[in-house]
């Protein structure tokens, strides 16, 4: 019932910047947390950054000081500003959101993933 659409991926040289966006849509839902994960070929999906309902943020050590996650609650959109990109940042970046939605008879939890957007950093 909650769909996520990502945009902003692409090819960039080392040291460059990209801004990823993820917009959530649906009806009768409330988002608690939104975050970004990434997965390189052959690797497990790993958490990059997350913003919680209280506005607090957490980052993977590898991106602290370079990436910034933000959220526009009115638009149900989360952003990931990526600066000083490195080749090791190359991966498919996926948006994730969790929260609750109303089924018509009860409140249920949800966790939704976007399709992912490719980020490639060249050296």
């Amino acid at each position: 019932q909650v769909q996520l659409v990502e945009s902003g991926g692409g090819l960039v040289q080392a040291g460059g910047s990209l801004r990823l966006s993820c917009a959530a849509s649906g009806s009768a839902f409330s988002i608690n947390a939104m975050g970004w994960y990434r997965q390189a070929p052959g690797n497990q999906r790993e958490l990059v950054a997350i913003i919680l309902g209280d506005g607090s943020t957490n980052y993977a050590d590898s991106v602290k000081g370079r990436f910034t996650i933000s959220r526009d609650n009115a638009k149900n959109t989360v952003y990931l500003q990526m600066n000083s990109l490195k080749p090791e940042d190359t991966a498919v970046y996926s948006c994730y959101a969790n929260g609750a939605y109303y089924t018509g008879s009860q409140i249920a939890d949800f966790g939704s993933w976007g399709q992912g957007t490719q980020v490639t950093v060249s050296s």
Side-chain angles (χ1 to χ4, degrees), residues 5-28:
V5 179
E6 300 140 321
S7 62
L11 174 65
V12 65
Q13 292 184 336
S17 299
L18 286 173
R19 189 193 192 207
L20 306 182
S21 299
C22 174
S25 62
S27 61

Side-chain angles (χ1 to χ4, degrees), residues 27-114:
S27 61
F29 72 94
S30 177
I31 293 176
N32 177 37
M34 300 186 76
W36 291 94
Y37 290 73
R38 67 186 181 187
Q39 186 172 23
N43 294 339
Q44 297 294 314
R45 197 191 309 268
E46 62 179 355
L47 177 67
V48 177
I50 189 169
I51 184 165
L52 305 179
D54 63 1
S56 63
T57 58
N58 290 280
Y59 299 90
D61 288 341
S62 60
V63 307
K64 286 182 178 178
R66 300 188 298 119
F67 292 9
T68 302
I69 188 170
S70 61
R71 179 174 173 178
D72 185 337
N73 291 326
K75 297 181 178 180
N76 286 320
T77 300
V78 65
Y79 306 94
L80 185 68
Q81 179 66 47
M82 304 185 294
N83 299 325
S84 301
L85 283 162
K86 304 175 181 179
E88 52 262 43
D89 295 319
T90 296
V92 175
Y93 285 71
S94 300
C95 178
Y96 174 81
N98 65 42
Y101 69 99
Y102 183 57
T103 66
S105 61
Q106 65 181 30
I107 297 174
D109 297 330
F110 75 87
S112 296
W113 290 92

